[in-house]
Amino acid sequence: MAGGAREVLTLQLGHFAGFVGAHWWNQQDAALREATDAKETPGELCPDVLYRSGRTLHGQETYTPRLIFMDLKGSLNSLKQEGGLYRDTQHDAAIAWQGKLTTHKEELHPKNPYLQDLLSAEGVLCSDGVWRVKSIPNGKGPAPLTTAPTPKPLIPSEGSIRVWSDFLRVHLHPRSICMIQKYNHDGEAGRLEAFGQGASILKEPKYQEELEDRLHFYVEECDYLQGFQILCDLHDGFSGLGAKASELLRDEYLGRGIVTWGLLPGPYSLREPQKNIYRLLNTAFGLVHLSAHSSLVCPLSLGGSLGLRPEPPVHFPHLHYDATLPFHCSAILATALDTVTVPYRLRSSPVSMLHLADMLNFSGKKVVTAGATIPFPLVPNQSLPDTLVQLGGAAPWTPLSACGDPSGTRCFAQSVVLRGLDRACHTSRLPPGTPMPSELHACTTGEEVLARYLEQLQPQVRSSSHLLLTPCKVAPPYPHLFSSSLSHQGLVLDGPPTGAGLPVLSIHSSGECPRPWGPLLLFLLEPDAGRLGQRAHQSRPATLGQLHGGRSGTG
């Protein structure tokens, strides 16, 4: 049981959703392990919102994601569908058949070197056939092992990553993974390419009953289920599957929040016109149908456009990534998700998913957009008021939804999260008696600084803001994306931002083992439906997360 937490059940639908989800769960795991190793008091975020406690067949406690994941045949690589945490060596019972037996054995996929290294660190298969795992974070699980050496942190090379399971470091429950055997992940034949194909999957009794059975398993053990978050591919047939899944959730669990994150990989090529047409139609149909059944829908992509005309990928001044690699793009989007979802994961005074959706919806419009600052442009010996004043009147975030130029729209409401700033940086450090350069420098708390800044930036916008000390934890296998201009703590070493100086989603790392403590800024904005596919504006990193709903027009 979740012990009073407002639980959320996560659904991941599609292969790119698997990439984003793998980074997402790795970041949750890294944060839990950091808290356990440091023996910290309970933090600002409640992990029980996303995780569940359980027990293996051998009586060992587990702490696994409350997750249902659907993907295609051939997408798991070396990962077993039932996972490795609940393995039962006594499963092979005596066979009653006395006749001739023929065994057909499929060749196993080689395990990624990163995962081989991880297994030696996480536990061992003992002589009694029991898989002894190390202590599970947050106080769950058995006593730590001392016999298995902890290897040096390893980051998988980009060339070794073929599927999301190649870098997933989190153990999953046997009921988490649901494979769709009628379509193939690889090859040219048997692909899930169209919205209609995906929608028809859950019309088949086999898959509908399997999904419902897994939903009931997780939901029935919850004390207070606040809702569901769906990570769904928009560019392929999983957009149709996501639409039917959200419809099922709305019908079966009326009154629960359904927040959907529509995911698209990086830039696409004009050399594949048929795939581009599919991508555009799947995205359009997906957004329409998902918004009909969800409380809130937000497309997320580092591509510059959702339309047929390709645009350059999103640019972050202190971030170097390859937009053609799902491993890179999904890491950035997962980092963004880890911040924008903070309001309904708080331990104290959380904002429910439904309340968040109600605040951002405008006239029934449920599609919002996201933005981020990566990293927040805080320099050494500078305070939060100093940085915000230097940013001027420009919007402090870079769009992450590829939904066009927002200049013709007006923000209606926004949810902002700023995280990872040291408490000493929250307010002005000017000596007593020094004239205040701005109203922000006169504020007495960081929360007041952030609220006043948002009020000055967009005075007619309804804003909800959260300021957290808890940073976003980025640890291996998170890729090396951050420039050498960032310190180990995520501070900008090359001085304040030049030009418009916009804050952005921020997580920082440097050196051989990236340390993901840094500021992060995100927002969601209601796009004008008539502008779908136009070029998005740009912004920069900061440990600030924000959800933003808007309206069309300038009046």
Side-chain angles (χ1 to χ4, degrees), residues 479-502:
H480 284 303
L481 302 179
F482 302 99
S483 73
S484 58
S485 63
L486 299 177
S487 72
H488 194 57
Q489 290 74 32
L491 300 179
V492 180
L493 299 178
D494 56 0
T498 58
L502 309 179

Side-chain angles (χ1 to χ4, degrees), residues 24 93 199 460 496:
W24 158 275
Q460 296 181 343

Side-chain angles (χ1 to χ4, degrees), residues 60-128:
Q60 291 195 324
E61 294 185 24
T62 61
Y63 199 51
T64 54
R66 190 178 294 107
L67 167 69
I68 299 175
F69 179 43
M70 301 185 75
D71 206 347
L72 306 180
K73 180 174 64 177
S75 62
L76 294 184
N77 218 355
S78 60
L79 178 66
K80 293 183 178 181
Q81 183 173 345
E82 67 276 10
L85 194 60
Y86 286 73
R87 66 181 66 185
D88 182 9
T89 58
Q90 309 301 324
H91 183 267
D92 295 330
I95 300 176
W97 172 254
Q98 299 298 320
K100 184 178 180 181
L101 295 176
T102 302
T103 302
H104 298 272
K105 207 168 188 179
E106 185 178 0
E107 185 177 352
L108 296 176
H109 288 276
K111 192 178 294 291
N112 188 285
Y114 168 76
L115 294 181
Q116 292 178 354
D117 184 79
L118 176 65
L119 283 177
S120 66
E122 294 299 317
V124 293
L125 185 61
C126 299
S127 58
D128 60 358

